[in-house]
Amino acid sequence: MKKVLISIFLCVLSISVFAQSVIVLKDNASLRTDNGKGGTVYAMEILSGIKMELLSPAPVKKDLVTSKEITPDISFYHVKYQGKEYYIRESEATVGSSVGVIIENSVLFTYPTLDSFRNAYLEPGTIISCGKTVESKGLSFMEIEFYDTTAWTKRTRYILKEGYSTNSADIDAIQLVQKVL
């Protein structure tokens, strides 16, 4: 009986260790399905801030198939959303556990120091993935990932810790605005 319980415990533990979330960073990102020929085709759009279950520990390479062309070897996360399997471009989402939203203009830093100030900031309403907190010279910085609409990819930067919220009501409000726009 002990062996059975230990086996069940180890199975549950291994599943929970792998059970990770993918956070959508790009507003109106495309979820895609497998076309059965090594490619993916458009299925639906999804709002930023949505969390999905990661099905594969590493991104997979697939062709991106559109009505006009086929772009080979695009990196995708294999995810589960609302009980169905999809693919989302790695550049539009990130593996993470905590979704946040910028609530006041937040200056970006390349590293967690004031010296690494970038001539850029994130505006209120930007969805982020919250990472680790780093203390430096009496200041608290947080590592974040966000979707850079200028470069069409995700970026990792640091912000001062007080400029964001992880409150679900704040995130829901931003998603409501996204639906309307």
Side-chain angles (χ1 to χ4, degrees), residues 35-55:
N35 70 355
K37 301 174 187 173
T40 62
V41 293
Y42 173 84
M44 64 187 283
E45 286 185 349
I46 190 165
L47 299 173
S48 62
I50 299 290
K51 287 174 82 171
M52 300 174 288
E53 180 185 348
L54 180 65
L55 295 178

Side-chain angles (χ1 to χ4, degrees), residues 5-22:
L5 290 175
I6 291 172
S7 296
I8 291 171
F9 174 75
L10 290 176
C11 285
V12 169
L13 181 62
S14 68
I15 290 170
S16 65
V17 166
F18 177 71
Q20 292 182 309
S21 295
V22 170

Side-chain angles (χ1 to χ4, degrees), residues 65-102:
V65 180
T66 66
S67 59
K68 296 179 182 176
E69 64 186 354
I70 297 174
T71 307
D73 294 332
I74 301 296
S75 193
F76 290 94
Y77 291 119
H78 187 196
V79 298
K80 184 181 270 189
Y81 178 65
Q82 296 181 337
K84 295 182 181 174
E85 291 186 24
Y86 295 101
Y87 295 89
I88 185 167
R89 289 181 76 154
E90 183 183 17
S91 62
E92 298 176 350
T94 190
V95 175
S97 59
S98 183
V99 179
V101 62
I102 298 296

